[in-house]
Amino acid sequence: MKKFMNDPEHFVDEMIEGILAAHPDKLAYAADDLRCIIKAGNKKKGKVGIATGGGSGHLPLFLGYVGEGLLDGCAVGGVFQSPSADQMLEVTKAIDSGAGVLYIYGNYGGDIMNFDMAAEMAEMEDIKVQQVVAGEDVASAPKGEEGKRRGVAGIFFVYKIAGAMADALASLEEVKRVAQKACAHVRTMGVALTPCIVPEVGRPSFTIGDNEMEIGMGIHGEPGIHRGPLLKSDEIIDQIMKRILEDLPYKKGDEVSVLVNGLGATPKEELYILYRKVQQILKKEGISVYNTYIGEFATSMEMAGASVSLLKLDDELKRLLSSQASSPFFAQFQL
Amino acid sequence: MKKFMNDPEHFVDEMIEGILAAHPDKLAYAADDLRCIIKAGNKKKGKVGIATGGGSGHLPLFLGYVGEGLLDGCAVGGVFQSPSADQMLEVTKAIDSGAGVLYIYGNYGGDIMNFDMAAEMAEMEDIKVQQVVAGEDVASAPKGEEGKRRGVAGIFFVYKIAGAMADALASLEEVKRVAQKACAHVRTMGVALTPCIVPEVGRPSFTIGDNEMEIGMGIHGEPGIHRGPLLKSDEIIDQIMKRILEDLPYKKGDEVSVLVNGLGATPKEELYILYRKVQQILKKEGISVYNTYIGEFATSMEMAGASVSLLKLDDELKRLLSSQASSPFFAQFQL
Amino acid sequence: MERLNIEDIRSIVRNLKIKMDAKRDYLIELDSAMGDGDLGITMSKAFTAAKDEAERSAEILPGKLLIKLGMAMAKAAPSTMGTLMATGYMRGGKAIGDIESLGTGELAGFMDAFVNGILERGKSKPGNKTIIDTLYPAAQSLLQAQRNNKSLKEGIAEAYTAANRGMEESNQMKAQHGRAAYYQDSSIGKQDAGATVGLLFIEVLYEYCR
Amino acid sequence: MERLNIEDIRSIVRNLKIKMDAKRDYLIELDSAMGDGDLGITMSKAFTAAKDEAERSAEILPGKLLIKLGMAMAKAAPSTMGTLMATGYMRGGKAIGDIESLGTGELAGFMDAFVNGILERGKSKPGNKTIIDTLYPAAQSLLQAQRNNKSLKEGIAEAYTAANRGMEESNQMKAQHGRAAYYQDSSIGKQDAGATVGLLFIEVLYEYCR
Ligand SMILES: Nc1ncnc2c1ncn2[C@@H]1O[C@H](COP(=O)(O)OP(=O)(O)O)[C@@H](O)[C@H]1O
Ligand SMILES: Nc1ncnc2c1ncn2[C@@H]1O[C@H](COP(=O)(O)OP(=O)(O)O)[C@@H](O)[C@H]1O
Ligand SMILES: [Mg+2]
Ligand SMILES: [Mg+2]
Ligand SMILES: [Mg+2]
Ligand SMILES: [Mg+2]
């Protein structure tokens, strides 16, 4: 296992120490717990707080989206582990400015149970809490069972949209509404080429043959829809785009934002080769591209692989997507 | 070889097609040659043009730094191959606005020969050309033989500094002066954990044992100064920082910008674990950190590994480093 | 042994920690087949935290101590299973109130609340190939033993048999929850990691009272 | 064959392409040991471009054609060796001027300018473990053959012997240029990839005129 680390048990805490040391003017922590990350500086009066949380090992997910025009706090779990309800509660208390807090997180059992517990506890402390659970991986459950779908890279769009809305001092209900709209408009599908290793486990949690790929695999190695020989990248994109396009469906005349996400070890060179084919297909389908995000937005440590996400835009989503935003892991000028 | 690609021979061109398709408002190409990348839009009258060039496989190097407040053009070579003198000349012609062109590139034989040829040809076309060759890898040649050192991730600082100076409409001589100053103030050292594969070659150009690392290895797998068992990350940073600090040397009271660069497969989690120790050492040495860059700035495709670069700042460098800049691969708000 | 007092509970928690440590790799393997492979680690963490809490706490009432164990587990191991276990301890502890020791009836009440807490938190039901499929039969068997005035030793022995039967039956179920659900039909015939934890939980009780 | 005419040059370029293709993996291996492993690919590309250019071009003067071959190579293979080869062809072609065929003397002139072009572009000198260490002895030997009025066939045979000797000597040199220089003392005893290309270059000439 070739990782830069000291003791595997301290992997997450040392990572957070590094992050806080590198960005002391941007990030801080609450309740004397390094794993309760919040935006540094003063709270904006009357602004809805947005909190997320989830396992480590997915940088820039989740804490990387705590920043201006984005999220206000993040409870950080162990590698691929949910943070605790306690930690979520502490983040909630630290970021609430009276306007309530929206939880946005991915559709995973452990996270749901803990955010449910945290929401119950927060309500006992008189903090208004609403929840939006993101799940857009079309490979993880068939159409009609959208509620069972895993949340993957597309959650970035939900953060961006909700963050912009909250920044404009919209109400908790309004922020929740646009977050739900973003969820409803986004679809993702991925493909994995190699596994990754959880530091404390020390060996891959699954194997994949030397010339194999798995289409639809989740970011923790959850099974996909097809394992087979590694195809040419254009053929892979053909398969992925077919599933994504017919799922929402995305139609002629639609305008989309495209996210091509690298899972970790896959170089940017390859992501652009993938995007080339995505763009050709969209062009053929008469779907126009408003803008693109190509890089690492939700990873699985050193896993090789990629995913494609489409967000169907309307005027409101486009306006919210375009606004300036910045965190130590993501910077966007006004589009 | 697990890469997302179609025909290995088209790896670079398809990558560029993807990049141009993704960022049509930001990048364009000159002379009907996809490999002559230039900034989209109009030239700024009286602004010195800055060109770079080098092999592919290092994104965001080199073309990723063509953007606002950064570079104006880039000749793109095959994977780990210099672009041709011809292509450099075309870029030079396309970006010159009469104020001359500065070439900034890394210290590699093939690149030097071709940029030399290009400079000769450009002069024949009455374009003023100056060159700055960046080489700051302390592992690649001993102190006293700085001229032999390879250019690695630290070239990012040279681009940023020169780009800001040119943006302020300084003269060719002035832009060259600050680029040289940046070169003189930056030092880098890296460590590699795994090799990478050139698509057209199809197998790793070197091997490294399952539990081994190589300190000082170059971004094309050039030999480093020590191969041995993989150490704890704090120990690796101890070794790297010792060499970097004593080389310039960086001293108590100095102020630096720190770049922790991932070579490709190494996740951000680990880069921050590395930075944690860098910061501890700098603190102990009484060297203060102005700002940090942590992520992928110069890669070797899917190689696992990292490098640390320090830029010693003075008031001028700090001012130039702080200015706003943006490209499809890099965005920085005014610091 | 006719009743479990506060020191018995401390010993059982210690034994649970030892058992989970010993089964660490086995649980990792089971969870790797249809999950993320962390179950061995989280159970080891959860029960280490519970044991530490049991040793640290001066609590003399079983119910109160069990609630505290749940809270410690929730902090230490907030994975699916950790959170469910924690919920079980908290609900179970609350259910037995202020009694000083547990006989068959109190243990049955504890286990019943434990299982209901998990069902509520996890929004699941028996038959979905989860920890419930070993714990629910065990709890039902204890309730039956109470009705039949069985001794603690007998009750637990029967519960253990029921849990083992539940384990076997769960192997043929199709996973509906958590990561395993993504395996759909191919989860049939495979052993559920969480159900195994449930069985180990009863096994430690059984071994202690045997 | 006493003199090389334009068609001979086209044939030799074709043979060079075939040779470089055949030695592709071998050159990759040599360049991998102390470089980036691309030399087999770039030489194959460079000479494919040269061959294509030779076939496409209607040029009837050897000097002009050789310059064009250099330009084609510079575009197709701008690596160290590609650029140096290209420079050699351009300088060599320029040196022989407007003659219609090459005897020993003209070939010696071509090779001398070829080598000097490489020395200038690469800022190197003989003895630094580069392509120069096979090409420079070959060029010197041709100049000697010219002074001794040797036939083209004899001259080339002697140049081939000189290049072979240069190859052997270069194995014991320490690399000073390019990526191989990073290997310092450990480059001693290893075979330089570029010097090997130089030898193959002469070998093709030799095999053609034999
Ligand atoms: N909703 C649920 N209700 C009850 N048990 C569940 C539920 N979801 C999953 N489980 C159980 O949890 C086990 C996995 O636990 P764990 O490894 O902690 O999950 P994760 O790592 O996904 O958080 C499964 O084997 C199953 O028995
Ligand atoms: N400055 C130089 N002058 C002459 N030959 C050189 C010089 N630098 C390198 N070489 C030769 O080039 C060979 C490597 O060529 P090539 O693989 O094209 O280099 P790269 O891949 O580094 O661009 C070396 O084996 C050496 O013979
Ligand atoms: Mg887990
Ligand atoms: Mg090369
Ligand atoms: Mg698990
Ligand atoms: Mg080479």
Side-chain angles (χ1 to χ4, degrees):
Chain A
M1 179 181 41
K2 287 196 165 176
K3 286 184 194 287
F4 291 120
M5 62 176 178
N6 298 299
D7 187 334
E9 270 190 50
H10 301 141
F11 187 87
V12 173
D13 290 319
E14 291 187 356
M15 167 197 91
I16 298 177
E17 285 170 28
I19 290 172
L20 290 168
H23 312 292
D25 49 331
K26 301 274 174 57
L27 298 174
Y29 59 101
D32 230 24
D33 183 345
L34 283 176
R35 300 193 176 196
C36 299
I37 295 292
I38 54 173
K39 219 159 63 182
N42 294 328
K43 289 188 255 194
K44 203 159 157 185
K45 195 81 204 121
K47 180 184 150 344
V48 167
I50 306 181
T52 191
S56 289
H58 302 301
L59 283 179
L61 274 189
F62 293 91
L63 70 85
Y65 297 106
V66 173
E68 296 304 320
L70 295 163
L71 312 177
D72 301 281
C74 175
V76 183
V79 174
F80 295 179
Q81 304 285 352
S82 171
S84 73
D86 246 63
Q87 290 165 326
M88 295 165 178
L89 177 65
E90 293 300 343
V91 167
T92 309
K93 282 160 42 180
I95 67 174
D96 179 47
S97 69
V101 172
L102 180 67
Y103 294 164
I104 304 176
Y105 57 93
N107 190 14
Y108 294 94
D111 299 300
I112 294 173
M113 290 172 199
N114 281 292
F115 271 109
D116 278 351
M117 275 172 83
E120 288 166 21
M121 296 190 279
E123 265 151 41
M124 290 194 287
E125 309 219 9
D126 285 325
I127 301 176
K128 278 186 292 179
V129 169
Q130 291 286 332
Q131 305 197 39
V132 171
V133 182
E136 21 70 73
D137 182 347
V138 297
S140 57
K143 209 170 152 63
E145 298 182 35
E146 283 85 355
K148 285 193 179 172
R149 288 180 174 171
R150 297 185 292 256
V152 287
I155 199 172
F156 157 74
F157 285 122
V158 188
Y159 291 155
K160 177 71 190 71
I161 299 290
M165 194 71 174
D167 215 38
L169 301 185
S171 70
L172 181 56
E173 287 63 36
E174 279 292 280
V175 178
K176 181 179 181 184
R177 180 183 61 77
V178 294
Q180 282 175 325
K181 195 206 261 190
C183 284
H185 285 215
V186 68
R187 293 292 184 276
T188 298
M189 197 156 120
V191 50
L193 304 186
T194 67
C196 64
I197 295 177
V198 173
E200 286 188 70
V201 178
R203 55 188 163 69
S205 66
F206 64 96
T207 53
I208 180 164
D210 260 0
N211 284 304
E212 279 187 339
M213 63 172 187
E214 182 155 331
I215 292 193
M217 179 171 275
I219 56 173
H220 312 91
E222 296 93 342
I225 51 180
H226 175 72
R227 185 177 283 209
L230 179 59
L231 298 178
K232 283 185 191 288
S233 60
D234 281 359
E235 294 165 358
I236 296 172
I237 291 298
D238 268 333
Q239 292 191 23
I240 286 179
M241 286 297 286
K242 183 168 182 305
R243 295 286 289 246
I244 291 177
L245 290 175
E246 74 191 10
D247 193 88
L248 192 66
Y250 298 84
K251 295 186 305 278
K252 195 178 159 92
D254 282 353
E255 187 173 17
V256 295
S257 179
V258 184
L259 165 59
V260 180
N261 174 58
L263 289 183
T266 292
K268 277 217 168 77
E269 283 80 3
E270 298 173 30
L271 299 181
Y272 278 101
I273 291 177
L274 295 174
Y275 177 70
R276 174 181 167 274
K277 183 66 180 175
V278 170
Q279 193 257 0
Q280 288 173 0
I281 293 172
L282 290 174
K283 196 168 175 183
K284 218 185 86 210
E285 296 291 329
I287 296 167
S288 67
V289 176
Y290 174 63
N291 74 334
T292 58
Y293 297 95
I294 299 177
E296 295 181 355
F297 290 79
T299 65
S300 298
M301 297 194 290
E302 73 280 10
M303 198 185 276
S307 67
V308 178
S309 307
L310 298 188
L311 173 71
K312 178 175 161 172
L313 296 170
D314 60 15
D315 286 345
E316 181 179 48
L317 291 180
K318 205 196 285 191
R319 182 174 48 78
L320 294 167
L321 188 68
S322 323
S323 70
Q324 182 171 304
S326 79
S327 81
F329 293 78
F330 176 76
Q332 172 179 300
F333 289 88
Q334 174 76 41
L335 297 184
Chain B
M1 179 181 41
K2 287 197 166 175
K3 288 185 195 285
F4 292 119
M5 62 176 179
N6 297 299
D7 188 335
E9 271 189 50
H10 301 142
F11 187 87
V12 172
D13 289 320
E14 292 187 356
M15 166 195 90
I16 298 177
E17 285 170 28
I19 290 172
L20 289 168
H23 312 292
D25 50 332
K26 302 274 173 59
L27 297 174
Y29 59 101
D32 231 23
D33 183 347
L34 282 176
R35 298 191 179 200
C36 299
I37 295 292
I38 55 173
K39 220 158 62 182
N42 294 328
K43 289 189 255 192
K44 204 161 158 184
K45 194 86 202 117
K47 181 185 148 345
V48 167
I50 307 182
T52 191
S56 290
H58 302 301
L59 282 179
L61 272 189
F62 294 90
L63 70 86
Y65 298 107
V66 174
E68 296 304 320
L70 295 164
L71 312 177
D72 301 282
C74 176
V76 182
V79 174
F80 295 0
Q81 305 284 351
S82 172
S84 74
D86 246 62
Q87 290 164 326
M88 294 166 181
L89 177 66
E90 292 301 345
V91 168
T92 309
K93 282 158 48 178
I95 69 173
D96 180 45
S97 70
V101 172
L102 180 66
Y103 293 164
I104 304 176
Y105 56 94
N107 190 17
Y108 294 94
D111 300 301
I112 294 172
M113 290 173 199
N114 282 293
F115 272 109
D116 278 352
M117 276 171 80
E120 287 166 22
M121 296 189 279
E123 265 152 41
M124 292 193 289
E125 308 218 13
D126 286 325
I127 302 176
K128 278 186 294 179
V129 168
Q130 291 286 330
Q131 305 197 38
V132 171
V133 181
E136 22 68 75
D137 182 348
V138 297
S140 57
K143 208 170 152 65
E145 299 182 36
E146 282 84 355
K148 286 193 178 171
R149 287 181 175 170
R150 298 184 290 257
V152 286
I155 199 171
F156 157 73
F157 285 122
V158 187
Y159 291 154
K160 178 69 190 72
I161 299 289
M165 194 72 173
D167 215 39
L169 300 185
S171 70
L172 181 56
E173 288 63 37
E174 280 292 280
V175 178
K176 183 181 180 185
R177 180 183 62 76
V178 295
Q180 283 176 325
K181 195 206 263 192
C183 284
H185 284 216
V186 69
R187 292 293 183 277
T188 298
M189 196 156 125
V191 51
L193 303 186
T194 66
C196 65
I197 295 176
V198 173
E200 286 189 73
V201 178
R203 55 188 162 71
S205 66
F206 64 95
T207 53
I208 181 163
D210 259 0
N211 283 305
E212 278 188 338
M213 61 171 189
E214 182 155 331
I215 291 193
M217 178 170 274
I219 56 174
H220 311 91
E222 297 92 343
I225 51 180
H226 176 73
R227 185 177 284 209
L230 179 59
L231 299 177
K232 282 182 192 285
S233 60
D234 282 0
E235 294 165 358
I236 296 172
I237 290 298
D238 267 333
Q239 293 190 26
I240 285 179
M241 286 298 284
K242 185 169 180 306
R243 294 286 290 248
I244 292 178
L245 290 175
E246 72 192 12
D247 193 87
L248 191 68
Y250 298 85
K251 295 186 306 281
K252 196 180 159 89
D254 282 352
E255 188 173 16
V256 296
S257 178
V258 184
L259 165 60
V260 179
N261 174 59
L263 289 184
T266 292
K268 276 220 170 76
E269 283 79 3
E270 298 175 29
L271 299 182
Y272 277 101
I273 290 177
L274 296 174
Y275 177 70
R276 173 180 167 275
K277 183 66 180 177
V278 169
Q279 193 255 1
Q280 287 173 0
I281 293 172
L282 290 173
K283 195 165 176 188
K284 218 184 87 211
E285 296 290 330
I287 296 167
S288 66
V289 175
Y290 175 62
N291 75 333
T292 57
Y293 297 96
I294 300 176
E296 294 181 355
F297 289 78
T299 63
S300 298
M301 296 194 291
E302 73 281 11
M303 197 186 276
S307 66
V308 178
S309 307
L310 298 188
L311 173 71
K312 179 177 160 169
L313 296 169
D314 60 15
D315 286 347
E316 183 180 48
L317 292 179
K318 205 196 286 190
R319 182 174 47 80
L320 294 167
L321 187 69
S322 324
S323 70
Q324 183 171 304
S326 78
S327 81
F329 292 78
F330 176 76
Q332 172 179 302
F333 289 88
Q334 173 76 43
L335 296 184
Chain C
M1 170 176 326
E2 278 311 296
R3 299 185 70 83
L4 299 170
N5 64 24
I6 187 87
E7 285 317 314
D8 291 320
I9 290 174
R10 287 199 166 87
S11 301
I12 291 169
V13 170
R14 208 172 301 123
N15 292 353
L16 275 165
K17 175 207 164 2
I18 293 168
K19 177 74 83 181
M20 294 302 165
D21 284 349
K23 299 290 181 177
R24 190 176 178 277
D25 289 346
Y26 174 56
L27 292 174
I28 287 176
E29 199 181 296
L30 287 175
D31 191 35
S32 294
M34 291 192 300
D36 59 357
D38 61 354
L39 193 61
I41 297 163
T42 49
M43 285 299 96
S44 176
K45 272 191 194 162
F47 283 98
T48 300
K51 175 194 142 272
D52 291 349
E53 179 67 25
E55 282 169 4
R56 200 170 29 236
S57 165
E59 200 58 68
I60 50 167
L61 291 177
K64 292 262 164 66
L65 180 62
L66 289 163
I67 291 175
K68 282 196 174 165
L69 299 186
M71 284 163 56
M73 293 172 91
K75 281 199 193 188
S79 65
T80 300
M81 192 50 57
T83 307
L84 291 174
M85 271 284 168
T87 305
Y89 270 90
M90 290 191 271
R91 297 291 178 88
K94 202 170 153 199
I96 58 175
D98 284 347
I99 49 139
E100 275 170 24
S101 66
L102 291 81
T104 309
E106 291 81 6
L107 186 64
F110 171 81
M111 280 307 300
D112 192 38
F114 194 107
V115 167
N116 283 322
I118 292 183
L119 286 173
E120 217 175 279
R121 177 64 64 216
K123 300 175 188 119
S124 78
K125 55 184 202 299
N128 287 353
K129 199 174 186 107
T130 69
I131 183 170
I132 287 302
D133 296 309
T134 44
L135 289 187
Y136 180 81
Q140 291 302 314
S141 155
L142 276 166
L143 289 168
Q144 185 64 37
Q146 176 188 20
R147 284 190 290 273
N148 297 343
N149 287 317
K150 294 274 173 86
S151 75
L152 187 65
K153 198 175 148 175
E154 284 171 311
I156 291 178
E158 285 174 18
Y160 184 49
T161 307
N164 269 302
R165 202 177 315 116
M167 183 80 246
E168 269 166 45
E169 284 169 10
S170 81
N171 289 344
Q172 298 316 314
M173 295 172 186
K174 177 170 158 187
Q176 308 284 349
H177 293 285
R179 299 189 155 91
Y182 303 121
Y183 289 82
Q184 311 250 6
D185 279 347
S186 80
S187 67
I188 297 172
K190 292 208 181 100
Q191 181 171 342
D192 180 59
T196 309
V197 167
L199 178 60
L200 293 173
F201 183 87
I202 305 294
E203 186 169 286
V204 167
L205 258 184
Y206 168 72
E207 286 169 353
Y208 185 80
C209 300
R210 182 170 51 179
Chain D
M1 167 177 328
E2 278 312 296
R3 299 186 69 82
L4 299 170
N5 64 24
I6 188 87
E7 287 316 316
D8 292 320
I9 290 173
R10 288 201 165 85
S11 302
I12 290 169
V13 169
R14 209 172 301 123
N15 291 353
L16 275 164
K17 177 209 162 4
I18 293 166
K19 177 74 88 183
M20 295 300 167
D21 284 350
K23 299 289 180 178
R24 190 176 178 278
D25 289 346
Y26 175 56
L27 292 174
I28 286 175
E29 199 181 297
L30 287 175
D31 191 35
S32 294
M34 291 194 299
D36 59 356
D38 61 355
L39 193 62
I41 296 162
T42 49
M43 286 299 97
S44 176
K45 272 192 194 162
F47 284 97
T48 299
K51 176 195 142 268
D52 291 348
E53 178 66 27
E55 283 170 3
R56 197 170 31 233
S57 166
E59 200 57 67
I60 50 165
L61 291 177
K64 291 262 165 65
L65 181 62
L66 289 163
I67 290 175
K68 284 199 172 164
L69 300 185
M71 284 163 55
M73 294 171 92
K75 281 199 195 190
S79 65
T80 301
M81 190 54 52
T83 307
L84 291 174
M85 271 285 168
T87 305
Y89 270 90
M90 290 192 270
R91 298 292 178 88
K94 202 170 153 198
I96 59 175
D98 283 348
I99 52 143
E100 277 172 20
S101 66
L102 292 80
T104 310
E106 291 82 3
L107 186 63
F110 172 81
M111 279 307 298
D112 192 36
F114 194 107
V115 167
N116 283 322
I118 291 184
L119 286 173
E120 218 174 278
R121 177 64 63 218
K123 301 178 187 113
S124 78
K125 55 184 200 307
N128 286 353
K129 199 175 187 108
T130 69
I131 183 171
I132 287 301
D133 296 309
T134 45
L135 289 187
Y136 179 81
Q140 290 302 312
S141 155
L142 276 166
L143 288 169
Q144 187 62 40
Q146 175 186 20
R147 284 190 291 273
N148 296 345
N149 288 318
K150 295 273 175 80
S151 75
L152 187 66
K153 195 174 151 178
E154 283 172 310
I156 290 178
E158 286 173 17
Y160 184 48
T161 308
N164 269 301
R165 204 178 313 118
M167 183 79 245
E168 267 166 45
E169 284 168 11
S170 81
N171 288 344
Q172 297 316 313
M173 295 172 186
K174 179 171 157 184
Q176 307 284 346
H177 293 285
R179 298 190 155 92
Y182 302 121
Y183 288 80
Q184 312 253 4
D185 280 346
S186 79
S187 68
I188 297 172
K190 293 206 181 100
Q191 180 171 342
D192 180 58
T196 309
V197 167
L199 178 61
L200 293 173
F201 183 86
I202 304 294
E203 188 169 284
V204 167
L205 258 183
Y206 168 72
E207 287 168 354
Y208 186 79
C209 298
R210 184 171 49 179

